[in-house]
């Protein structure tokens, strides 16, 4: 937990931004896997963690904006709980750890919420995303499950995004810890990247590294020789020479801050010249756009810089042709780079995505594009000091998409389909770092993780 003043200050800023009413933060409950007492790994709600800090199931936080008082609601452990789970701090001790004014029981929460509703007070809630949570909320509020969404509050979403988007030094230190664990995960995967090993052996080993460092992975490991499938969670293939492995994986710290790193490496430890060509153009898109990620510039502009670097690299290889400014403006490069350059990172790997991607990544001034490819950019708005962004360009040869565009003769003036056909067995390359936007520019977080062709090959072949 951070010092208690951190949580107090965050809630004060939040109350000032929201202006009136009650703000309700439901924490998460345990979630049953195959029977009630065999549960999934418990993951606290990220906004509850941000404002109330307690990483345990069964708590609710309320900020009363009108009185300026914050209350933690939960029930104390019973003797039965203590016998099975061990001694636990009381609700009032936990409330003190995060500097709330008072604490009370869940029965008291129901009475506070129902009174507020009856007297017409505004209750602000973030969008609920778990079915069990909606059922519990309906019970405490005395409304139907369908009515729970009527308490979702745009002013609360706006205020939470404003606060959580800018990371303080405690949060940056946590994310750097998560990146350093990811560094060990990725170099381990590289060292195992030899023919005869199975993808699942690599993914299982790196997931174990995250766990051994105190947190789970921050999202299910993406690791595959079929890197052209952007989020490939199938790990059943035996590695074969001539292919590359895309590994997109991160760790979560014990305080639930995430890293999100991608590296691509050749099975056998040596890139072929064809692999090197594509790898180096993705690397250039990554390394050249990180210093361009500066306060005041939109991330859409940075994304388009990356797209142009990739398109120009593909033109040099004879895969694209014509004017690359025009090709990128038209969206032709998206055949090879169909996703966005990156997203915010923090307590969620796609930070705050549950609040609504457009609230996080777009603004009144910059709206999401509906062009294929650009539409997947999760974050298009202006960068600000303290944002943490992923920078993750990629280049893929997706047979189904290539086949569709070719049959439609789509962008024939920009794409050399005959040449593209010789890459149908290539797979894909993605390279991703986690980047802090600073006052004067940007900084890649954590200890550097091998990224150049030479560094990746050296890491793979080190004895
Ligand atoms: N690391 C997976 C993603 O960014 O979507
Ligand atoms: Mn990512």
């Amino acid at each position: 937990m951070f010092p208690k003043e951190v949580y107090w200050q965050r809630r004060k800023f939040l109350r000032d931004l929201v202006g009136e009413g009650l703000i309700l933060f439901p924490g998460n409950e345990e979630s049953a896997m195959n029977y009630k007492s065999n549960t999934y790994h418990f993951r606290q709600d990220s906004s509850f963690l941000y404002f109330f800090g307690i990483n345990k199931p069964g708590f609710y936080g309320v900020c009363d904006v009108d009185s300026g008082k914050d209350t933690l609601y939960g029930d104390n452990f019973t003797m039965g709980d203590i016998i099975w789970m061990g001694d636990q701090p009381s609700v009032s001790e936990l409330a003190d750890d995060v500097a709330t004014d008072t604490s009370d029981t869940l029965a008291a929460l129901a009475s506070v919420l129902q009174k507020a509703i009856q007297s017409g007070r505004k209750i602000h809630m973030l969008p609920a995303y778990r079915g069990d949570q909606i059922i519990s909320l309906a019970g405490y509020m005395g409304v139907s499950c369908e009515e729970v969404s009527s308490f979702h509050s745009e002013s609360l979403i706006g205020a939470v995004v404003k606060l959580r988007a800018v990371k303080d030094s405690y949060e940056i230190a946590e994310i750097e810890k998560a990146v350093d664990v990811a560094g060990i995960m990725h170099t381990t995967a590289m060292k195992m990247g030899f023919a005869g090993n199975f993808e699942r052996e690599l993914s299982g080993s790196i997931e174990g590294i995250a766990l051994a460092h105190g947190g789970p992975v921050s999202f299910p490991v993406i690791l595959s020789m079929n890197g052209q499938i952007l989020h490939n969670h199938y790990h059943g293939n035996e590695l074969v020479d001539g292919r590359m492995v895309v590994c997109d994986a991160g760790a979560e710290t014990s305080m639930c801050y995430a890293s999100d790193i991608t590296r691509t490496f050749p099975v056998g430890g040596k890139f072929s010249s064809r692999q090197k060509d594509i790898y180096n153009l993705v690397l250039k898109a990554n390394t050249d756009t990180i210093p361009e990620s500066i306060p005041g510039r939109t991330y859409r502009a940075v994304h388009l810089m990356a797209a142009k670097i990739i398109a120009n690299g593909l033109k040099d290889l004879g895969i694209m042709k014509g004017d690359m400014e025009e090709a990128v403006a038209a969206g032709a490069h998206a055949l090879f780079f169909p996703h966005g350059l990156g997203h915010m990172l923090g307590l969620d790997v796609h930070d705050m995505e549950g609040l609504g991607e457009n609230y996080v990544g777009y603004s009144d001034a910059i709206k999401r594009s509906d062009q294929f490819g650009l539409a997947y950019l999760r974050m298009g708005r202006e960068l600000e000091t303290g944002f943490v962004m992923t920078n993750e360009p990629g280049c893929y040869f997706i047979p189904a998409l290539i086949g569709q565009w070719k049959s439609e003769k789509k962008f024939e003036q920009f794409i050399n389909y005959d040449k593209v056909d010789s890459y149908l067995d290539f797979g894909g390359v993605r390279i991703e770092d986690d980047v802090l936007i600073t006052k004067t520019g940007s900084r890649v977080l954590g200890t550097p993780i091998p990224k150049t062709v030479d560094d990746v090959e050296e890491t793979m072949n080190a004895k």
Side-chain angles (χ1 to χ4, degrees), residues 257-289:
Y257 282 85
S259 55
D260 183 8
I261 301 288
T262 307
R263 290 292 183 267
T264 303
F265 49 88
V267 177
K270 187 94 188 116
F271 287 92
S272 69
S273 70
R274 187 173 83 144
Q275 289 171 342
K276 229 184 265 188
D277 288 341
I278 302 290
Y279 188 90
N280 278 330
L281 69 87
V282 176
L283 183 64
K284 183 170 166 57
N286 166 268
T287 53
D288 285 10
T289 57

Side-chain angles (χ1 to χ4, degrees), residues 156-462:
L156 178 61
I157 292 172
V160 170
V161 169
K162 195 174 166 67
L163 294 174
R164 281 183 56 189
V166 176
K167 273 64 184 178
D168 65 23
S169 55
Y170 293 111
E171 296 182 284
I172 293 162
E174 279 296 307
I175 297 172
E176 292 214 88
K177 271 192 230 165
V179 173
D180 285 350
V181 177
I184 304 170
M185 293 161 67
H186 281 273
T187 51
T188 301
M190 287 176 194
K191 287 176 201 292
M192 295 177 74
F194 289 84
N197 285 337
F198 279 78
E199 292 165 340
R200 62 173 177 267
E201 296 179 86
L202 280 63
S203 65
S205 298
I206 67 175
E207 185 153 354
I209 290 170
L211 288 167
H213 283 81
V217 286
S218 48
F219 57 95
V221 171
I222 296 163
L223 185 145
S224 178
M225 286 188 301
N226 291 311
Q228 77 282 1
I229 300 169
L230 303 183
H231 281 179
N232 198 334
H233 296 127
Y234 176 73
H235 302 144
N237 295 307
E238 183 175 346
L239 300 187
V240 290
D241 287 325
R243 303 284 299 172
M244 283 184 296
V245 173
V246 170
C247 177
D248 182 345
E252 197 169 272
T253 64
S254 56
M255 292 190 60
C256 300
Y257 282 85
S259 55
D260 183 8
I261 301 288
T262 307
R263 290 292 183 267
T264 303
F265 49 88
V267 177
K270 187 94 188 116
F271 287 92
S272 69
S273 70
R274 187 173 83 144
Q275 289 171 342
K276 229 184 265 188
D277 288 341
I278 302 290
Y279 188 90
N280 278 330
L281 69 87
V282 176
L283 183 64
K284 183 170 166 57
N286 166 268
T287 53
D288 285 10
T289 57
I290 289 171
E292 300 295 338
S293 305
I294 55 175
R297 180 167 286 149
T298 68
Y299 214 47
R300 178 184 289 175
V302 185
H303 167 91
L304 291 172
M305 283 178 204
K308 278 176 211 157
I309 293 168
I310 290 168
N312 278 309
L314 290 170
K315 183 177 174 183
D316 292 343
L317 296 173
I319 294 170
M320 292 190 76
K321 58 186 177 181
D323 182 322
M324 288 303 101
E325 289 280 335
E326 282 176 26
V328 169
H333 66 286
L335 179 58
F336 310 103
F337 176 32
H339 60 76
L341 183 63
H343 49 86
M344 274 196 186
L345 178 80
L347 279 163
D348 305 305
V349 70
H350 292 171
D351 209 22
M352 299 176 275
E353 192 165 292
L355 310 191
E357 230 175 48
N358 287 347
Y359 291 116
V360 179
Y362 290 88
S363 64
D364 289 340
I366 180 145
K367 300 277 179 215
R368 187 187 283 261
S369 162
D370 57 10
Q371 185 186 75
F372 175 75
L374 196 49
Y376 287 126
L377 178 63
R378 300 181 196 280
M379 164 81 190
R381 70 177 162 118
E382 264 188 19
L383 297 171
E384 293 175 29
T385 306
F387 283 9
V388 175
M389 303 298 307
T390 67
N391 179 301
E392 49 180 312
C395 182
Y396 314 87
F397 294 86
I398 305 168
L401 185 63
I402 292 167
Q404 187 192 66
W405 282 33
K406 188 178 175 185
S407 71
E408 292 169 359
K409 302 186 190 313
K410 193 164 172 174
F411 295 129
E412 270 190 327
Q413 68 278 34
F414 299 125
I415 297 166
N416 233 328
Y417 282 106
D418 288 343
K419 182 80 178 181
V420 175
D421 280 345
S422 66
Y423 282 80
L424 287 176
D425 61 347
F426 183 86
V429 172
R430 178 162 67 251
I431 300 171
E432 175 177 24
D433 289 316
D434 300 339
V435 177
L436 171 68
I437 310 304
T438 63
K439 274 200 188 98
T440 51
S442 60
R443 172 168 85 78
V444 177
L445 293 175
T447 309
I449 302 167
K451 192 160 77 164
T452 63
V453 163
D454 286 348
D455 287 350
V456 170
E457 289 183 350
E458 197 183 310
T459 303
M460 293 185 75
N461 292 296

Side-chain angles (χ1 to χ4, degrees), residues 18-237:
V18 171
E20 42 100 43
L22 286 182
I23 308 172
L24 170 63
F25 286 106
N28 279 336
E29 302 283 349
E30 294 281 17
S31 182
M33 199 161 51
N34 51 338
Y35 53 92
K36 190 164 182 283
S37 64
N38 202 25
T39 55
Y40 289 104
H41 163 75
F42 172 72
R43 178 53 159 82
Q44 185 56 287
D45 175 75
S46 296
S47 290
F48 183 86
L49 270 178
Y50 185 83
F51 292 103
F52 284 86
I54 294 161
N55 194 1
K56 294 175 184 294
F59 290 93
Y60 287 69
V62 172
C63 304
D64 185 329
V65 182
D66 306 318
S67 72
K69 292 230 181 310
D70 303 325
T71 306
L72 179 71
Y73 292 95
D75 289 336
N76 282 323
F77 258 41
T78 63
M79 186 50 71
D81 295 327
I82 291 167
I83 290 166
W84 288 96
M85 312 291 291
D87 232 344
Q88 297 289 323
S90 67
V91 178
S92 67
E93 285 166 333
L94 290 168
D96 186 53
D97 287 345
V98 292
T100 67
D101 301 285
T102 51
S103 64
D104 216 327
T105 61
L106 294 175
L109 171 70
S111 139
V112 165
L113 294 177
Q114 290 177 26
K115 262 191 214 141
I117 291 170
Q118 277 153 19
S119 63
R121 287 185 76 196
K122 173 95 183 144
I123 298 181
H124 301 267
M125 246 180 51
L126 298 173
Y129 53 90
R130 286 192 179 190
D132 57 352
Q133 187 183 63
I134 293 170
I135 294 169
S136 299
L137 281 164
Y140 291 128
M141 297 171 115
V143 300
S144 70
C145 287
E146 288 70 29
E147 283 170 310
V148 169
S149 63
S150 66
F151 297 92
H152 296 170
S153 156
E154 278 209 347
S155 63
L156 178 61
I157 292 172
V160 170
V161 169
K162 195 174 166 67
L163 294 174
R164 281 183 56 189
V166 176
K167 273 64 184 178
D168 65 23
S169 55
Y170 293 111
E171 296 182 284
I172 293 162
E174 279 296 307
I175 297 172
E176 292 214 88
K177 271 192 230 165
V179 173
D180 285 350
V181 177
I184 304 170
M185 293 161 67
H186 281 273
T187 51
T188 301
M190 287 176 194
K191 287 176 201 292
M192 295 177 74
F194 289 84
N197 285 337
F198 279 78
E199 292 165 340
R200 62 173 177 267
E201 296 179 86
L202 280 63
S203 65
S205 298
I206 67 175
E207 185 153 354
I209 290 170
L211 288 167
H213 283 81
V217 286
S218 48
F219 57 95
V221 171
I222 296 163
L223 185 145
S224 178
M225 286 188 301
N226 291 311
Q228 77 282 1
I229 300 169
L230 303 183
H231 281 179
N232 198 334
H233 296 127
Y234 176 73
H235 302 144
N237 295 307

